[in-house]
Amino acid sequence: MRENAKEPGRHAQRMAAKQKVIQARIARADKEQGLLLVLTGPGKGKSSSGFGMAARALGHGMKVGVVQFIKGAFSTGEDAFFRDLPNVDYHVMGEGYTWDTQDRERDVKAAEAAWDVARRMLSDDSYHLVLLDELNIALRHDYLDLDTVLDDLQARPAMQHAIVTGRYAPKALIELADTVTEMKVVKHAFKDQGVKAQKGIEL
Amino acid sequence: MRENAKEPGRHAQRMAAKQKVIQARIARADKEQGLLLVLTGPGKGKSSSGFGMAARALGHGMKVGVVQFIKGAFSTGEDAFFRDLPNVDYHVMGEGYTWDTQDRERDVKAAEAAWDVARRMLSDDSYHLVLLDELNIALRHDYLDLDTVLDDLQARPAMQHAIVTGRYAPKALIELADTVTEMKVVKHAFKDQGVKAQKGIEL
């Protein structure tokens, strides 16, 4: 977890707004609502869990939006599997994203372009679920403005679910979230035994 | 976690065999191998993560076997989504499984029948990945013999991946596993705020 958002006033405002939303929800009999889920921690399974939830939502006939914030450089199994399904709108952050070359300006630009796609999904109630895969990593590197991200998440349609994955979830995001799971490493084949990461299994 | 398997000799034997397998693997240059993954703990995301990994494997063109050990009674999104995909062999434990009626004999029978399906997959190297969803729950209730399950897992084809999900993973399974993630609850919308479980999101 990280330090809080930079503007305490804006944070307090957001928390007050959230409190109101929660009270309104509690007042409703059925309590149905779109949830903000955060999957974080060092253990395996964060992205997989997000994609499993996306699969479940698709199984219920829901429309799903996916934005991947760090995996643009290489093809993953999710990409191959989800990209061409009906009911899925799949966006991988462009090749401008250059962890390797340390071109920070280019990285920020790519992250912001990806967030524009995310924001469009978060403003469109035809999406029942929006998966923001590895968003926490982009936030960790300050490639995106945390307050902007939190505001956009909070402003999403009332029934829309959002899932954010990645290590190092910022504290302010955890506060805003409805459900947070931390993946803890109990044992790790790759680190403990020097086993090569496996095609089809690596997270 | 739970007490160890009931037969210490058999356990020692299994661990010695595992040690040999690991040494053989380390001796190989590429270190490719089928992994045994365990996803456990009280947090959300265990089954989702397993299904996400299954989706990733499918994205890589792999063949996947799924056995669900507790959800036979109601339809889930995964069921609807995965059941009819090509390359997936999907088995849900029969309706004989009656947590509600406390008919233990019938539950044991249903669990054993499901394990027969699992064992068939675990003996067939055309399956690249076998997902044993909520198996830990069946073990927790002693509906299955732990040593039999561990032996079958260990005897599977060398390149086959196996994923076991569910709370309360037995200690002996954790010892046998290559990678273990524990899902920890940081925050839970349903418990903390009385929010109704959501279609398409609940794990």
Side-chain angles (χ1 to χ4, degrees):
Chain A
M1 297 185 193
R2 251 169 101 223
E3 72 283 0
N4 232 311
K6 281 152 208 156
E7 299 173 39
R10 199 154 159 195
H11 171 72
Q13 231 173 36
R14 197 159 43 223
M15 285 297 116
K18 182 178 164 68
Q19 199 49 44
K20 257 196 189 161
V21 172
I22 290 171
Q23 283 165 352
R25 283 168 182 170
I26 289 171
R28 289 173 54 193
D30 61 2
K31 302 227 174 83
E32 288 206 2
Q33 57 163 290
L35 297 175
L36 175 57
L37 275 74
V38 174
L39 302 164
T40 192
K44 289 273 166 194
K46 298 180 289 293
S47 291
S48 292
S49 188
F51 280 97
M53 291 177 198
R56 175 179 288 135
L58 291 167
H60 283 291
M62 297 166 102
K63 182 177 169 188
V64 172
V66 178
V67 182
Q68 279 194 299
F69 279 87
I70 66 161
K71 288 173 182 163
F74 55 100
S75 160
T76 67
E78 292 95 348
D79 192 331
F81 184 74
F82 283 96
R83 188 181 271 283
D84 299 320
L85 287 177
N87 270 344
V88 178
D89 194 354
Y90 199 103
H91 183 83
V92 179
M93 199 156 80
E95 291 178 295
Y97 216 43
T98 55
W99 301 96
D100 296 335
T101 59
Q102 301 292 322
D103 185 343
R104 185 175 168 81
E105 209 178 316
R106 210 171 144 187
D107 287 357
V108 168
K109 234 174 168 173
E112 285 177 347
W115 187 254
D116 285 343
V117 177
R119 179 187 290 124
R120 185 177 54 73
M121 294 173 175
L122 293 169
S123 338
D124 178 350
D125 65 6
S126 75
Y127 291 94
H128 301 98
L129 188 155
V130 178
L131 171 56
L132 304 165
D133 188 42
E134 301 289 6
L135 172 60
N136 290 336
I137 302 299
L139 291 171
R140 170 79 169 176
H141 286 78
D142 285 317
Y143 287 168
L144 292 170
D145 177 59
L146 178 57
D147 279 311
T148 304
V149 165
L150 295 177
D151 285 345
D152 290 343
L153 280 169
Q154 192 167 28
R156 76 189 194 283
M159 295 300 293
Q160 186 185 78
H161 302 298
I163 303 174
V164 176
T165 76
R167 283 179 86 146
Y168 311 114
K171 203 178 152 198
L173 174 62
I174 287 174
E175 282 176 27
L176 190 69
D178 298 296
T179 298
V180 180
T181 299
E182 191 189 324
M183 270 68 164
K184 208 181 118 189
V185 182
V186 176
K187 206 172 173 182
H188 195 310
F190 310 139
K191 284 182 196 153
D192 300 351
Q193 300 165 28
V195 174
K196 203 172 143 188
Q198 300 294 301
K199 188 180 81 166
I201 273 283
E202 56 176 323
L203 301 192
Chain B
M1 299 184 191
R2 255 169 99 222
E3 72 283 358
N4 231 313
K6 279 153 208 154
E7 299 173 39
R10 199 156 159 192
H11 171 72
Q13 231 173 36
R14 196 159 42 223
M15 284 298 114
K18 181 180 166 65
Q19 200 49 42
K20 257 196 189 162
V21 172
I22 290 172
Q23 283 165 353
R25 284 168 182 169
I26 289 171
R28 289 174 53 193
D30 60 1
K31 301 227 175 83
E32 289 208 0
Q33 57 164 289
L35 296 176
L36 174 58
L37 274 74
V38 173
L39 302 164
T40 192
K44 289 274 166 193
K46 299 181 289 292
S47 291
S48 292
S49 187
F51 280 97
M53 293 177 196
R56 174 179 289 135
L58 290 167
H60 282 291
M62 299 167 101
K63 181 177 168 188
V64 173
V66 178
V67 182
Q68 278 195 299
F69 279 87
I70 65 160
K71 286 174 183 163
F74 56 99
S75 159
T76 67
E78 292 95 346
D79 192 331
F81 183 74
F82 282 97
R83 186 180 273 284
D84 299 320
L85 287 177
N87 271 343
V88 178
D89 194 354
Y90 199 103
H91 183 83
V92 179
M93 199 157 78
E95 292 179 295
Y97 216 44
T98 55
W99 301 94
D100 296 334
T101 59
Q102 301 293 320
D103 184 343
R104 185 174 168 81
E105 209 178 316
R106 210 172 144 187
D107 287 357
V108 168
K109 235 175 167 171
E112 286 177 347
W115 187 254
D116 285 343
V117 176
R119 180 187 291 123
R120 184 177 54 74
M121 293 173 175
L122 293 169
S123 338
D124 178 350
D125 65 6
S126 75
Y127 291 94
H128 301 99
L129 188 156
V130 178
L131 171 57
L132 304 165
D133 187 43
E134 301 290 6
L135 172 60
N136 290 336
I137 302 299
L139 292 170
R140 170 79 168 175
H141 286 79
D142 286 317
Y143 286 169
L144 293 170
D145 177 60
L146 178 57
D147 279 311
T148 304
V149 166
L150 295 177
D151 286 345
D152 290 343
L153 280 169
Q154 193 167 26
R156 76 189 194 283
M159 293 301 291
Q160 186 184 79
H161 301 299
I163 302 174
V164 176
T165 77
R167 284 179 84 145
Y168 311 115
K171 203 178 152 198
L173 174 62
I174 286 173
E175 282 177 25
L176 190 68
D178 299 295
T179 297
V180 180
T181 299
E182 191 189 323
M183 270 70 163
K184 207 180 119 188
V185 182
V186 177
K187 206 170 174 184
H188 195 309
F190 310 141
K191 283 182 196 152
D192 299 351
Q193 300 165 26
V195 174
K196 203 172 144 188
Q198 299 295 301
K199 188 180 80 166
I201 274 282
E202 57 176 323
L203 304 191

